[in-house]
Amino acid sequence: MSRSRYYSVRMRASANGKHISGAEGLCKKEDIKGILHEYAARALSHERGKPDAVRISIDKIVLPVKGISSLPLCTVRTLNTASARKTACDILRSSGISAKAIDAAFSLITEREPSAGAFILDTGGKILLNEPGVRVTKIGITENASSVLKEKLSLIGINNQRVKEALILASKVKRRKEVVAELCVSDDPGYTTGYVTADGFGYVRIPHIKRRSFAFGGRVFFVNVKDISGLLEYLKNQPVMISRISECRGVLPPRDLMNSKL
Ligand code: WAQ
Ligand code: MG
């Protein structure tokens, strides 16, 4: 994509310095007002609590915007936390992530107060980026891709903002070759579906990855490099728009998922 007419809008809400919610997107000038309204409403009525500080910022995009495809999406049929964790482990293990790294990732995101950004671990489990982690920003979707995505997600009954935003973010992250996989667990007490992304699997939604009412969550990016400076620069500053939508499959049993690696 060429010269940009886009603006990056970001929101962060906190209470006593603790993360409550955040949002980020790319939009055209005429849509800024609507987005500000939506982000402010989201910040002030979040199930994680009432914020005492909300920061919203708007930056004009100066770098050319890169157009990319969304990751292929599917949902795996996991019926409880044990099978959800097992499936996440199976995908990550088959992508070359060590058991130690997977354990470290789950403890970082499920055993302490959520961090505003994502942790970065190497495939052996070494923490390359600790709290507060990296916030992925400058992410959006073209109008055309957005209507295609809406159609595809509607067909499988999951056309909602949360899925769309997570797919956009994960597609930007996984686009980098050094990112081997991502693990995400929502920090919202009422939202128990998480996801894993990895080569050959795409974006795999995993129901029941945590128990309801549990207010912990987070994201971990697993990488196969030691120097993450180029990756951090890309995640924070490279504007990326989803301009093509890949396949969106419905629900698959775990065994079919593992056997149908793309
Ligand atoms: N960059 C990096 N990390 C982030 C970002 C970001 N832009 N936004 C959120 N996080 C981290 C942060 O630690 C949050 O605590 C954690 O992720 C969870 O964020 O297909 O709702 O917004 O059904 O609670 C995934 C499944 C939902 C969607 C993810 O995440 C689906 C979700 P939340
Ligand atoms: Mg949240």
Side-chain angles (χ1 to χ4, degrees):
M1 268 177 219
S2 53
R3 288 241 67 78
S4 161
R5 292 177 296 123
Y6 290 100
Y7 289 77
S8 159
V9 184
R10 288 177 293 164
M11 180 276 285
R12 281 284 316 283
S14 59
N16 293 320
K18 287 184 182 166
H19 174 72
I20 296 222
S21 71
E24 36 278 303
L26 290 178
C27 68
K28 292 184 181 156
K29 196 172 184 181
E30 59 269 30
D31 297 325
I32 293 177
K33 230 170 146 180
I35 298 271
L36 288 180
H37 193 264
E38 186 196 319
Y39 284 3
R42 234 197 254 193
L44 297 172
S45 63
H46 201 276
E47 62 169 323
R48 287 179 47 78
K50 288 269 168 275
D52 55 27
V54 178
R55 307 264 179 267
I56 297 188
S57 57
I58 306 171
D59 294 279
K60 189 169 167 49
I61 294 293
V62 286
L63 290 174
V65 178
K66 190 176 161 71
I68 67 164
S69 298
S70 63
L71 289 167
L73 170 148
C74 69
T75 302
V76 65
R77 183 179 295 128
T78 45
L79 302 174
N80 53 44
T81 310
S83 75
R85 294 263 174 120
K86 181 180 183 310
T87 302
C89 282
D90 288 347
I91 298 171
L92 294 168
R93 291 289 286 140
S94 90
S95 308
I97 316 283
S98 67
K100 184 178 161 214
I102 299 169
D103 283 350
F106 271 109
S107 27
L108 284 169
I109 63 179
T110 60
E111 287 169 14
R112 56 194 221 189
E113 200 56 51
S115 165
F119 297 96
I120 301 184
L121 299 191
D122 73 13
T123 53
K126 184 168 174 216
I127 301 178
L128 302 179
L129 184 70
N130 211 326
E131 237 165 346
V134 56
R135 277 299 289 183
V136 182
T137 55
K138 304 197 173 125
I139 41 179
I141 184 164
T142 63
E143 271 170 43
N144 183 44
S146 179
S147 62
V148 174
L149 182 59
K150 179 178 171 194
E151 218 169 276
K152 291 193 176 182
L153 293 181
S154 297
L155 283 174
I156 50 174
I158 51 167
N159 177 41
N160 64 67
Q161 202 56 26
R162 191 189 295 267
V163 175
K164 285 187 218 166
E165 288 183 358
L167 179 66
I168 293 169
L169 185 151
S171 300
K172 175 177 179 181
V173 173
K174 188 65 195 73
R175 177 86 183 176
R176 286 284 288 208
K177 280 288 150 277
E178 65 267 54
V179 177
V180 179
E182 175 183 352
L183 168 67
C184 169
V185 176
S186 174
D187 56 15
D188 300 8
Y191 201 78
T192 58
T193 299
Y195 69 81
V196 166
T197 69
D199 286 337
F201 292 98
Y203 175 97
V204 182
R205 305 180 61 245
I206 308 182
H208 307 294
I209 197 143
K210 71 168 191 183
R211 285 182 224 294
R212 195 163 292 278
S213 314
F214 192 69
F216 290 175
R219 283 179 157 90
V220 174
F221 305 150
F222 298 94
V223 301
N224 58 10
V225 290
K226 287 195 175 72
D227 179 3
I228 55 169
S229 53
L231 174 63
L232 291 177
E233 173 62 25
Y234 165 84
L235 296 173
K236 291 190 279 193
N237 294 324
Q238 169 68 55
V240 166
M241 288 278 245
I242 304 298
S243 53
R244 290 171 302 276
I245 302 300
S246 304
E247 188 186 18
C248 296
R249 293 186 288 177
V251 182
L252 297 171
R255 195 188 302 145
D256 290 7
L257 174 79
M258 297 311 291
N259 291 337
S260 71
K261 200 169 167 184
L262 302 167

